[in-house]
Amino acid sequence: MDKRGIGVFDSGLGGLTVLKEIKKILPNEDLVYFGDTARVPYGPRSKETIMKYTFQAINFLLTKDVKAIVIACNTATARSLVEAQEKYDIPIIGVIEAGARTAAASTKNGKVGIIGTEGTIKSKAYNTEIKKIDKRIKVYGKACSLFVPIVEEGWANTEVARLTAKEYLRDLEEKGVDSIVLGCTHYPLLKRTIGEEVGMEVKLVNPARETAIDLKNILIERNLLNTKEELGECKYFVSDINVKFPSIAREFLKTKIEVEKVEIQRY
């Protein structure tokens, strides 16, 4: 048994969608969450900057003696996962491989849409992973840059979100996709709005659950599972105290949370 915690980080609060699934799949594990709220969004930033931010987040989480880390951010996964895995001697996983695998399995007509930040879409990381599974699948990407600030503002289920979704998703609807990957961990918080726009016939793929399952399998393989009987605890850290973060997190996770600020530039 390994009682050390698991680190989870995201550019903001979107990674809570992954954290929630990890809590379901691995309820006995202690978790440490870091949201880089001072520097959200990551999408428009360069690969070098995102790598720097990723390494700082990992360095901070390592001070909490974590045994594994989940990069719960599609942009950071696309831009820095490989480099992070090479740099650190600890299991580190991202969210893109799990999302690609789920999308490939879910499509019936071989047309998959990917929505994400500008950085994720430009990287074509999802395209690459899906093509590894089935070269016949057609993949269409759409950058939805306004979705992250809409979620961070707490406007996920508003008319603003609906109109934005309508504008962004028109292209994918015209392409006839039958599956859309929510290629940013903020986007599951917009699932209802997106679903109402594209209709029930289009499957919305949330990579979070498959990522949590992948994490469990890695912990089992490396004998790192925490087998205690009581439920795990979760600590939350951010790089900037945003008054909306705790309230949105409490509403989404259905539990009270306390948030501590970290001077992330030190790491």
Side-chain angles (χ1 to χ4, degrees), residues 117-183:
T117 66
E118 184 178 348
T120 298
I121 299 303
K122 281 187 174 180
S123 75
K124 294 190 178 296
Y126 272 105
N127 305 56
T128 300
E129 291 299 324
I130 290 174
K131 292 292 185 181
K132 286 180 184 178
I133 299 167
D134 190 340
K135 293 180 180 179
R136 297 170 298 177
I137 296 176
K138 294 181 179 179
V139 183
Y140 304 98
K142 180 66 177 180
C144 303
S145 303
L146 292 177
F147 278 170
V148 170
I150 283 174
V151 170
E152 293 279 336
E153 193 65 30
W155 292 350
N157 297 307
T158 65
E159 184 68 4
V160 171
R162 190 190 69 78
L163 291 173
T164 304
K166 183 177 183 66
E167 186 66 30
Y168 277 144
L169 300 173
R170 183 180 295 120
D171 290 347
L172 296 182
E173 292 180 90
E174 291 175 354
K175 291 287 193 292
V177 301
D178 70 349
S179 301
I180 294 178
V181 179
L182 304 177

Side-chain angles (χ1 to χ4, degrees), residues 193-221:
T193 299
I194 293 171
E196 289 174 352
E197 172 57 30
V198 299
M200 294 181 62
E201 66 276 8
V202 177
K203 181 176 178 58
L204 300 182
V205 176
N206 178 4
R209 179 172 174 78
E210 288 300 315
T211 300
I213 292 172
D214 286 352
L215 173 63
K216 181 177 181 178
N217 291 336
I218 288 173
L219 296 182
I220 292 172
E221 291 169 6

